[in-house]
Amino acid sequence: MKSRVQLAAFVKTILNAEVPVHELRPEIMAIKEILVSLADFDDRPAEGIAFGESMTDHGLAISPSNAALCVDDYVRTIQFIRGLHQAILDQDKAKVSVLYAGCGPLGVLAIPLLCYFEQGKVAFQLLDIHETSVASLNHIIKALELPDQLITVTCCDVMSYQAPKANMPDIVLLEVMQAGLRVEPQVAASRYLMAQFPQATLIPESVSIEMMLVNPQHEFGLMNDERAAHRIHLGTAFTLNKAVIDSWACLDGLQLPAEGVIIPVEVNDNDCLMEMTSITVYSGHEIEIGQSGLTSALRFDCDVMSFSGQILALAYGLSQNPGLFVLD
Ligand SMILES: C[S@@+](CC[C@H](N)C(=O)[O-])C[C@H]1O[C@@H](n2cnc3c(N)ncnc32)[C@H](O)[C@@H]1O
């Protein structure tokens, strides 16, 4: 009971829009400490951080200890909690049902909010592919005495999940991603779940990848706030949101359309392309380029000089190693 009250109090502070996000790391770390103390889970396995990860047909499922580390990316964690809270309020229903895919061993985007909301306002269905994470969460749920009607956890691959007919989610929340929507299965999983629950609100609401041409000396040699002025914006190559997912309804295969970008005629020898990710979690709760591990700038593998003055045609690959690539 004491932990529930503490979690609710930390969430209350996090939701205070007058407190800037960068001041809230202590609250996030305190939430993590409580969750880890209630979990039956080794967050520092002797075998290393990758121990227990698994490769699926649609991307890497990172290990339970690595998933727990995501909590420390506090700007991400705060904006997801704030965005999800707003989305729950906006449902304007007595009881809101949230499906949270890829919940990790701590369920950090669900459990603290569940403790904060008045009992019965929100119910969560959690799922993760790793048995260790599901067992850890069940331990936390039991320790917090959270009733089954408010939270259940299933161990399965999101790509085979079918919601019980009596419990269709109002909100679908996924955080199975990395910068550039690379490596992990966010795109495939969002598409799969939204086909099943087209009426549901998707969180994150939108993820965009912009292509920029940079001079590495400026990009890696300057301070954060000076870098932006030197980047040349070439355009948004890929967006993941409900409307775009709808537009893929008739597509088959392992490739999704992306926008090509025009490479300027004047390209210098050292110039390189970077993928810059930005995320709208929900309704103005944004994670901007460089604010989180999920939005860090990534070098895009391509010989830009050979495309100078031409269109660089791109597509998004839905393989075991998803991400943008150059079309031949
Ligand atoms: C990046 S971690 C994020 C953890 C948690 N959502 C958070 O925000 O802290 C992604 C989680 O998704 C899970 N995952 C990845 N692929 C999955 C899949 N195909 N089916 C179910 N869970 C998956 C991983 O096991 C991992 O726990």
Side-chain angles (χ1 to χ4, degrees):
M1 200 59 185
K2 188 175 151 228
S3 301
R4 251 158 75 169
V5 173
Q6 287 173 329
L7 287 171
F10 287 127
V11 170
K12 189 171 177 208
T13 309
I14 287 166
L15 295 179
N16 181 350
E18 280 169 24
V19 184
V21 170
H22 67 264
E23 287 178 14
L24 290 167
R25 185 173 184 276
E27 281 71 14
I28 292 299
M29 297 317 287
I31 285 177
K32 181 174 180 183
E33 200 178 316
I34 295 173
L35 295 174
V36 170
S37 75
L38 301 175
D40 176 24
F41 164 67
D42 178 7
D43 65 343
R44 283 177 209 159
E47 296 87 343
I49 195 76
F51 177 71
E53 70 183 19
S54 35
M55 184 52 84
T56 76
D57 287 347
H58 302 93
L60 179 73
I62 62 171
S63 71
S65 50
N66 214 351
L69 258 189
C70 296
V71 179
D72 306 23
D73 187 354
Y74 71 99
V75 172
R76 173 212 81 115
T77 307
I78 292 164
Q79 295 296 33
F80 268 84
I81 290 175
R82 285 182 170 181
L84 177 59
H85 170 257
Q86 189 58 50
I88 292 169
L89 295 183
D90 285 355
Q91 288 295 314
D92 205 18
K93 284 175 87 174
K95 183 175 173 187
V96 179
S97 170
V98 181
L99 171 63
Y100 175 12
C103 54
L106 304 176
V108 70
L109 307 179
I111 300 223
L113 266 177
L114 187 57
C115 296
Y116 170 80
F117 273 109
E118 151 200 337
Q119 270 225 1
K121 170 67 187 167
V122 59
F124 283 93
Q125 304 166 61
L126 272 51
L127 70 90
D128 202 283
I129 200 166
H130 291 132
E131 186 58 60
T132 310
S133 289
V134 172
S136 160
L137 267 164
N138 278 326
H139 227 265
I140 296 173
I141 290 166
K142 198 164 167 217
L144 289 171
E145 298 176 20
L146 296 168
D148 287 352
Q149 312 88 271
L150 298 187
I151 185 159
T152 56
V153 196
T154 307
C155 186
C156 70
D157 186 331
V158 58
M159 300 303 291
S160 59
Y161 180 76
Q162 302 282 338
K165 285 244 159 20
N167 194 4
M168 291 288 149
D170 302 302
I171 296 172
V172 171
L173 161 71
L174 303 103
E175 203 286 75
V176 282
M177 65 173 286
Q178 297 189 10
L181 290 166
R182 289 191 196 170
V183 183
E184 293 186 52
Q186 182 86 11
V187 174
S190 302
R191 185 188 193 192
Y192 175 78
L193 291 178
M194 293 321 285
Q196 249 185 94
F197 316 117
Q199 305 308 324
T201 298
L202 175 65
I203 291 185
E205 194 177 310
S206 183
V207 182
S208 295
I209 305 172
E210 201 171 340
M211 285 291 179
M212 297 197 197
L213 188 66
V214 305
N215 174 329
Q217 264 176 339
H218 295 143
E219 188 61 30
F220 303 113
L222 293 175
M223 301 299 283
N224 253 348
D225 46 352
E226 294 173 322
R227 275 184 205 144
H230 293 274
R231 294 170 175 164
I232 300 172
H233 297 233
L234 302 182
T236 301
F238 192 76
T239 302
L240 179 68
N241 62 29
K242 265 181 86 161
V244 172
I245 291 172
D246 278 353
S247 74
W248 299 332
C250 298
L251 298 180
D252 282 332
L254 294 176
Q255 211 167 290
L256 293 170
E259 287 295 322
V261 293
I262 298 173
I263 305 297
V265 179
E266 304 281 312
V267 185
N268 297 313
D269 247 0
N270 289 331
D271 285 352
C272 65
L273 270 189
M274 306 277 296
E275 285 176 75
M276 308 279 182
T277 311
S278 53
I279 302 172
T280 299
V281 177
Y282 181 78
S283 180
H285 297 285
E286 314 276 348
I287 308 175
E288 290 167 12
I289 295 166
Q291 284 188 330
S292 147
L294 300 186
T295 59
S296 52
L298 292 178
R299 196 173 178 139
F300 185 72
D301 189 17
C302 136
D303 173 14
V304 268
M305 281 291 270
S306 66
F307 287 95
S308 78
Q310 295 174 51
I311 293 180
L312 182 73
L314 299 165
Y316 186 90
L318 291 165
S319 61
Q320 285 195 334
N321 187 16
L324 285 170
F325 65 94
V326 179
L327 283 169
D328 294 332

